[in-house]
């Protein structure tokens, strides 16, 4: 398991497995967001299997499948709401952590500067420099640019 922290309340990871849930709970996470569509993984790693293990460990599990081609602002809003609703730190996962980083960055663009978002993701190993125009646009629309 490769957990990478983007903020005090949000971290990302490549695909997790049922066997990872105890360590995730022990690490202090309160919620898990699955950003990986079931069509990308075998049944043992699909959302239902991970959700059952997470819920058995007392963790909240939210499924927001994201594809690069299908990413939209409804998904971004759902991610932001899930983070906001969590009663503690959130771990989001996808194939590599990139999609979970992108959707978080877009969700936080009206609260954090593009520089801070890109710095946080870069430190975690995700180069999202190409996302700057979208981050700036969201900030401008929210009146925070």
């Amino acid at each position: 398991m490769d957990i990478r922290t983007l903020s005090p309340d949000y971290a990302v990871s490549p695909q997790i497995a049922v066997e990872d849930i105890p360590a995730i709970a022990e690490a202090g996470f309160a919620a898990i967001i699955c950003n990986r569509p079931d069509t990308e993984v075998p049944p043992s790693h699909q959302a239902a299997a991970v959700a059952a293990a997470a819920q058995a460990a007392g963790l909240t599990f939210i499924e927001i499948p994201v594809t690069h081609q299908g990413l939209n602002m409804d998904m971004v809003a759902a991610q932001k709401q899930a983070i906001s609703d969590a009663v503690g730190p959130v771990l989001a996962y996808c194939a590599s952590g990139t999609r979970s980083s992108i959707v978080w960055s877009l969700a936080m663009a009206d609260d954090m500067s593009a520089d801070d978002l890109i710095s946080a993701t870069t430190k975690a190993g995700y180069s999202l420099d190409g996302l700057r125009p979208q981050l700036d646009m969201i900030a401008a629309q929210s009146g925070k640019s």
Side-chain angles (χ1 to χ4, degrees), residues 30-97:
I32 297 172
I33 300 174
C34 172
N35 291 134
R36 193 159 193 200
D38 280 345
T39 57
E40 296 180 2
V41 294
S44 62
H45 287 74
Q46 290 181 355
V50 179
Q55 291 162 350
L59 303 174
T60 300
F61 186 89
I62 305 101
E63 188 176 356
I64 307 170
V66 174
T67 63
H68 290 291
Q69 302 83 2
L71 177 60
N72 61 56
M73 292 310 288
D74 289 338
M75 293 172 185
V76 171
Q79 192 90 358
K80 185 167 189 161
Q81 188 65 54
I83 295 166
S84 175
D85 290 347
V87 296
V90 174
L91 174 66
Y93 72 91
C94 55
S96 67

Side-chain angles (χ1 to χ4, degrees), residues 127-145:
S127 178
L128 302 185
D129 293 320
L131 202 58
R132 183 177 295 278
Q134 292 92 330
L135 298 173
D136 288 338
M137 181 185 70
I138 293 167
Q141 289 173 345
S142 72
K144 299 208 177 168
S145 62

Side-chain angles (χ1 to χ4, degrees), residues 10-28:
Y10 188 84
V12 299
S13 173
Q15 177 69 48
I16 61 173
V18 168
E19 299 80 32
D20 296 324
I21 298 299
I24 292 167
E26 287 174 23

Side-chain angles (χ1 to χ4, degrees), residues 95-121:
S96 67
T98 301
R99 282 177 276 185
S100 296
S101 296
I102 291 169
V103 74
W104 173 81
S105 295
L106 293 169
M108 297 297 121
D110 58 357
D111 296 321
M112 296 173 64
S113 72
D115 287 340
D116 289 345
L117 292 165
I118 290 169
S119 175
T121 56

